[in-house]
Amino acid sequence: MAFRRHLTALSFAACFVVQPAWGQSVVIHDQGVERIQHSHEGTKPWWVSRSDCVANDVFTFPVDLVDFSGKSLEVWAGKNCTDQAEREGDQADCWKVYDVFPQLKTLDVKVRAQDLVAKTIPGGKAGVGTEADCDKTDSPSVGEAVTLFFMLIDSNNAVAGAHDTYESGFDVVGPAAPTSVSAGVGEERLIVSWSAPSDEDRAGYRIYCDSGTGTGSAPAAGGAAGAAADAAADAVADATTDAAAEAGVGGSDAGSDGGGGTGGSGGTGGSGGGSAGNPDCPSAALTPGAIPQAEYQCGSADGKVATEGTASDLTNGVTYAVAVATTDELGNVGPLSQVACGTPQPVDDFFELYRRAGGKGGGGFCALGADPSHATLGLAAIVLGALLVRRRRRPA
Amino acid sequence: MRPVLGAALALAAFAWSAAAAAQGTDELGPYGGLDGRHQYQSPQDVAFELRFGPYRPEVDSELSGATPFDDTFGGDKRYMIGLEVDWQALRIPSFGSFGPGMGWGYTRFSGDALLADGSGGRSAQQTTLNIMPFYLVGVLRVDVLARETFVPLVPYAKAGLGYALWWSSDGDGTAHGEDGTLGRGSSYGVQWALGGMFLLDIIDQTSAVEMDATTGVNNSYFFLEWYRSQLGTGDQMKVGTNTWMLGLALEI
C-alpha cells in the first residue's frame, strides 16, 4: 500500500519535471496576425500582390510555443511541409521563409513577402528574397496558393510536436491583355471596347491614353515581327476606330506602313516590329505587351465581363493612342493590349439637338433625384403593396 | 383645357357617387355568390394590369420641322412596360363597373449621338431619353356580357390625367443644353384609352374557379387597347403618344 502511494506520488511529480514529447507545440494567434500593407478584399485577403512584394510587405504572426527547448522554430511555405522529403532533397517542394532558436514561449514571427515570392528551393531562408523576385513571370497569372507551416524542428531535422498552419498565397503576375481593342469617338472622350481574355482571376480593366508624338517604334519594313510582338500582331489586325471610319474621315486600310488617311485611322497597325504600337498614333509610352505606366491611365471598367469603358478628360481634335490592360483581384496589372487610335470630337446628344431646334422643355423636376427610376419603382411597389394589404385585411 | 375639365369632372363624379352594395359574406358564407354562369365567385373590386406596348413620344411635333428625336433615335420601335391598378368602386348592376385607376409606365430610348460637324455621322457616345408616365383615370368596364352571357368580352374606356417624368443623358450623366439647361423635366396632360378584354377563364373554367377559391383571383383577361396621351403643355416637352397596349389583367 505504501509502495503504491509512493509510486503515485512519483508519477505525479514526474509530470512537472519531465514533459512528455506530445506536449511540444506551436500555436498561432489568428486574431493577432497583421501585415504592413492592407489586406485584400475578396477571397484572397492574405495573399501577396506585386505591389505588396515591391513594398516589402511583412506579415507578423504572434505565436505561443510549448516545450521548445533545444529546437528551432521554422516557417516553411508549400503544400505538405511537415514531410521532411518536401523540405530536403531533390524532390523538395517547400521553401523556408523564417527560422529562429526561440528564447521565449511567446514571440512575433515576421515573414517577408519577398521571401514568400522568391520560392527559393532549396536553400530558402529569411531575407533571401529581393525586389527583383517581384517581377518573376514564371508563375501562373492566377497565382499560387501556399500554406505556411509553423513547426518546431529538432536536431534531426524532424518536426517535433504539433505544428500550426496559415493559408496565404502570392500572385505577382497580371492577367493577359484584352484583344480586339477599338476606340470610338466621343466628346472629350473615347469609347473603348475590347474582347476579354480568358484568365479566371481577372477583375477589371484599365485604359491608358497617350497623345504624345514620341518616337514609338515604327514597324519594320516588310512586317518582320519580333517575338514580343507576335501575339500583339495577331490581335492588332482588329484594331479599328469605328466612328472615324463611319464618318468618312480618312481611315487607312491594313498595311505595314499604315499609310494614308486623314484624321482617324483604321485597319491594322503595329504589324511587325519588336515593340511597335500603332503607326497612325505612335506612342513611346504605350507598348503592346509591356506593363503600363500608371500616369497614362485615363479610364477603367470594373468587372471581369466588362467589354467597354470610357477614356475621359481628353481634348477634342487630338489623336490619342489607346490601349487596355487587365487587372486581377489583387490589383496586379497585366500587359498592354495592342494600341488603337482615336480622336475625340464634339457630338450633339439628343437634348442639345432638342434645345437647339427650339424645344423648351427641361430644367429639372422636383422631389426626385437625378435618376428617379429606382426611387419611383420603389414608390410604385409600396403603393401596390399597400393596396394588396388593404385588400387582404378586408373582413371576409 | 376642355379635355382637362372633362376628365376632372369625371373623376369628381366618381368621388361623389355612392358605392354599390359591396360583395361580402353573411352567416351563409360569401354572398358575392354565383356569377351568371352559376359558378362560385369571391368578392371582387380590384383589377391589376400588366401592360406592354410600343411607345414613340411626340417630341418632334412641337418643333417646326426639326426632328431631333427621329434624327437621334431613329424610327426603330421602342416599348413601354407598365402597371395599372383599378378600384372597381361602383358596380352598376347588369352593366359593369366604374372606378378610379392609377398607372405607371417606363420606356427608354438610346442611340449613338450625332457628330457635331454636321456630317450626319454617328459617334460612339450614347445618348438616352427616359420617360416615366404616371396617370390617374376613371375606368368604365362593361362586363355584363362576360358575367351574364357566354360572350367572354369586356369592353372598357378610360380617361384622366397623366404626368410624366423624363430625363436625358449624354453618356456621362444628365445632359445639358448649350445654355446649361438641365436635360430633365416633367410633362402633364390628359389621356384616354379604349379597349377590350378577353376573359381567359373560359379556357379552363374549373381551374378558374379553383384559382378564385384559393387565391381570390376572380378573373383573368388578355386585353388590347388603343391608348392616347397628350403630355406636355406650354414649355413642356411633348412626351405623350398615340399607340396601342396589350397585356394581362387580373380581377381580385
Side-chain angles (χ1 to χ4, degrees), chain A residues 230-301:
Chain A
D230 282 349
D234 290 342
V236 143
D238 298 327
T240 59
T241 49
D242 299 332
E246 288 180 4
V249 180
S252 60
D253 291 333
S256 60
D257 58 359
T262 56
S265 65
T268 65
S271 56
S275 60
N278 192 317
D280 294 315
C281 50
S283 168
L286 304 183
T287 303
I291 301 298
Q293 303 171 54
E295 58 265 35
Y296 289 92
Q297 184 178 348
C298 55
S300 64

Side-chain angles (χ1 to χ4, degrees), chain A residues 154-196:
Chain A
D154 63 20
S155 56
N156 295 320
N157 260 351
V159 177
H163 66 281
D164 205 349
T165 61
Y166 202 86
E167 299 301 321
S168 183
F170 61 91
D171 179 1
V172 296
V173 178
T179 57
S180 305
V181 175
S182 63
V185 168
E187 182 156 337
E188 298 180 348
R189 71 195 70 170
L190 292 172
I191 313 302
V192 185
S193 59
W194 57 83
S195 296

Side-chain angles (χ1 to χ4, degrees), chain A:
Chain A
M1 190 62 174
F3 174 75
R4 283 186 182 175
R5 282 203 299 273
H6 289 314
L7 186 59
T8 304
L10 279 172
S11 301
F12 187 69
C15 291
F16 291 94
V17 176
V18 179
Q19 292 216 0
W22 48 259
Q24 300 155 339
S25 67
V26 181
V27 176
I28 304 170
H29 288 279
D30 290 345
Q31 299 303 319
V33 178
E34 295 178 337
R35 62 188 296 181
I36 297 175
Q37 303 300 314
H38 292 297
S39 296
H40 298 282
E41 296 180 0
T43 59
K44 302 173 180 176
W46 293 100
W47 278 48
V48 173
S49 67
R50 183 181 178 280
S51 61
D52 296 334
C53 183
V54 169
N56 198 16
D57 196 7
V58 177
F59 293 84
T60 301
F61 299 89
V63 300
D64 284 341
L65 307 175
V66 176
D67 189 25
F68 53 88
S69 176
K71 301 172 188 59
S72 64
L73 171 64
E74 299 182 3
V75 181
W76 288 74
K79 294 286 192 293
N80 185 20
C81 303
T82 55
D83 185 347
Q84 195 163 349
E86 293 286 336
R87 303 196 305 273
E88 304 169 353
D90 298 335
Q91 303 302 317
D93 200 28
C94 290
W95 63 103
K96 186 162 61 176
V97 295
Y98 179 87
D99 62 8
V100 73
F101 278 96
Q103 305 298 314
L104 301 171
K105 64 179 180 180
T106 300
L107 74 158
D108 287 340
V109 173
K110 294 188 183 298
V111 175
R112 297 174 65 244
Q114 288 175 359
D115 292 338
L116 188 64
V117 173
K119 198 175 177 183
T120 306
I121 303 174
K125 61 180 181 179
V128 68
T130 66
E131 186 175 328
D133 293 306
C134 305
D135 289 324
K136 62 193 301 178
T137 57
D138 57 346
S139 58
S141 70
V142 295
E144 186 173 341
V146 161
T147 302
L148 297 174
F149 290 80
F150 292 67
M151 304 174 289
L152 288 172
I153 304 296
D154 63 20
S155 56
N156 295 320
N157 260 351
V159 177
H163 66 281
D164 205 349
T165 61
Y166 202 86
E167 299 301 321
S168 183
F170 61 91
D171 179 1
V172 296
V173 178
T179 57
S180 305
V181 175
S182 63
V185 168
E187 182 156 337
E188 298 180 348
R189 71 195 70 170
L190 292 172
I191 313 302
V192 185
S193 59
W194 57 83
S195 296
S198 58
D199 299 57
E200 286 300 316
D201 66 334
R202 65 188 192 277
Y205 303 87
R206 293 184 188 173
I207 304 168
Y208 298 84
C209 304
D210 180 24
S211 64
T213 56
T215 57
S217 303
D230 282 349
D234 290 342
V236 143
D238 298 327
T240 59
T241 49
D242 299 332
E246 288 180 4
V249 180
S252 60
D253 291 333
S256 60
D257 58 359
T262 56
S265 65
T268 65
S271 56
S275 60
N278 192 317
D280 294 315
C281 50
S283 168
L286 304 183
T287 303
I291 301 298
Q293 303 171 54
E295 58 265 35
Y296 289 92
Q297 184 178 348
C298 55
S300 64
D302 293 330
K304 63 192 304 180
V305 298
T307 56
E308 186 176 283
T310 301
S312 306
D313 299 325
L314 306 180
T315 304
N316 290 336
V318 175
T319 299
Y320 289 86
V322 177
V324 185
T326 314
T327 60
D328 63 20
E329 52 190 315
L330 295 184
N332 295 314
V333 181
L336 277 175
S337 66
Q338 81 279 9
V339 175
C341 304
T343 307
Q345 296 180 31
V347 303
D348 288 330
D349 60 68
F350 161 72
F351 189 66
E352 282 182 313
L353 291 177
Y354 166 77
R355 292 286 295 186
R356 193 181 301 153
K360 304 288 187 201
F365 41 69
C366 302
L368 296 175
D371 180 351
S373 59
H374 296 113
T376 310
L377 272 173
L379 187 63
I382 290 170
V383 171
L384 289 174
L387 283 170
L388 273 173
V389 169
R390 176 185 178 279
R391 165 70 186 173
R392 287 185 178 181
R393 282 182 179 174
R394 283 187 56 195

